[in-house]
């Protein structure tokens, strides 16, 4: 009688692991301020956290072929520090504004007290913070930022619900990230064949 392993060849298809990382602690996080699209940098603690994430990934033998990040420096620096720990500076990194976190509108930059934190956790998926007025300096900084200058102001959010942020991200996910993951997987499979 043939064994099960004789009848079923080993699965030799290339596999991938998809890892999602949140940025490490930013200056706004440490100051208890609402971040959104404000380009808050990492704190010293955030740098340590990002390096620690890289060390944990390395300890667990996780490596990557490509990476995607928002255009916000806290996310870019977190990725860079993780790459540094993994010695993966050479992998392709794609930065895109559609990966930015949810725009917090008129709440952006404001300090949160404990009541506001409770409210924020109670916000539903469809809840949209108050829009930034077009005369607001926080809006002008985004609209005039070189990272977004090529976009029509009508495309840029002045505030978003989680649902709106997801609707902004999903087309980019399907048109850019998924095809790149598949291409990377196909390349690995070709190398195995």
């Amino acid at each position: 009688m043939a064994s099960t392993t004789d009848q079923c060849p080993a699965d030799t298809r290339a596999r991938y692991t998809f890892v999602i990382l949140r940025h490490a602690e930013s200056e706004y996080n440490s100051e208890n301020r609402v971040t959104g699209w404000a380009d808050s940098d990492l704190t010293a603690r955030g740098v340590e956290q990002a390096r620690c994430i890289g060390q944990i990934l390395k300890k667990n033998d996780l490596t990557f072929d490509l990476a995607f990040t928002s255009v916000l420096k806290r996310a870019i620096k977190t990725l860079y520090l993780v790459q540094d720990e993994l010695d993966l500076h050479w992998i392709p990194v794609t930065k895109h504004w559609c990966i930015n976190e949810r725009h917090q509108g008129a709440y952006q930059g404001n300090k949160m007290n404990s009541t506001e934190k409770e409210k924020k956790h109670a916000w539903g998926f469809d809840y949209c913070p108050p829009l930034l007025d077009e005369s607001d300096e926080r809006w002008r900084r985004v609209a005039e930022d070189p990272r977004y200058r090529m976009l029509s102001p009508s495309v840029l959010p002045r505030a978003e619900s989680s649902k709106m942020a997801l609707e902004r991200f999903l087309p980019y996910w399907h048109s850019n990230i998924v095809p790149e993951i598949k291409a990377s997987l196909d390349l690995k499979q070709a190398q195995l064949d």
Side-chain angles (χ1 to χ4, degrees), residues 8 37-38 49 61 68 71 73 95 111 116 123 126-127 129 133 140 154 164 166 171 173 179 182 187:
C8 302
W37 280 30
Q49 290 172 335
D61 295 322
F68 299 86
V71 296
K73 71 175 119 186
K95 301 174 189 106
K111 286 210 175 226
E116 288 167 330
W123 292 349
D126 292 323
Y127 175 78
D133 189 87
R140 285 198 309 269
S154 64
M164 294 163 71
L166 184 61
W173 165 261
K182 286 181 178 178
L187 180 61

Side-chain angles (χ1 to χ4, degrees), residues 10-176:
D11 188 356
T12 58
R13 290 176 294 163
R15 297 188 183 271
Y16 62 91
T17 301
F18 185 77
V19 176
I20 300 174
L21 298 176
R22 183 182 188 276
H23 65 80
E25 182 186 70
S26 73
E27 293 165 344
Y28 272 31
N29 297 145
S30 72
E31 296 167 1
N32 199 29
R33 293 169 66 188
V34 179
T35 309
W37 280 30
D39 204 16
S40 180
D41 206 347
L42 293 180
T43 62
R45 180 174 180 226
V47 170
E48 287 178 32
Q49 290 172 335
R51 289 200 177 280
C52 184
I53 292 165
Q55 292 163 9
I56 291 168
L57 293 170
K58 187 174 187 172
K59 182 179 176 183
N60 287 284
D61 295 322
L62 284 170
T63 189
F64 305 97
D65 301 315
L66 51 126
F68 299 86
T69 186
S70 75
V71 296
L72 300 169
K73 71 175 119 186
R74 61 188 174 273
I76 295 166
K77 286 184 176 183
T78 298
L79 173 59
Y80 178 82
L81 292 163
V82 168
Q83 286 178 278
D84 195 41
E85 292 298 320
L86 295 168
D87 195 24
L88 288 176
H89 297 285
W90 55 271
I91 66 170
V93 174
T94 303
K95 301 174 189 106
H96 201 278
W97 73 274
C98 283
I99 303 174
N100 282 12
E101 65 184 70
R102 172 185 176 182
H103 195 298
Q104 296 291 349
Y107 296 152
Q108 186 171 289
N110 296 341
K111 286 210 175 226
M112 284 191 296
N113 61 36
S114 58
T115 306
E116 288 167 330
K117 277 186 184 177
E118 289 169 17
K119 282 186 205 171
K120 186 176 177 187
H121 291 293
W123 292 349
F125 187 63
D126 292 323
Y127 175 78
C128 184
L131 298 178
L132 280 176
D133 189 87
E134 289 183 10
S135 63
D136 192 304
E137 177 60 29
R138 295 169 294 178
W139 167 249
R140 285 198 309 269
R141 273 195 302 265
V142 169
E144 295 170 3
D145 190 303
R147 290 171 283 195
Y148 313 114
R149 200 176 298 141
M150 73 292 203
L151 301 169
S152 164
S154 64
V155 173
L156 292 173
R158 292 190 290 139
E160 295 175 298
S161 65
S162 294
K163 180 182 179 187
M164 294 163 71
L166 184 61
E167 289 169 347
R168 166 176 45 87
F169 170 73
L170 282 177
Y172 185 77
W173 165 261
H174 290 294
S175 66
N176 295 78

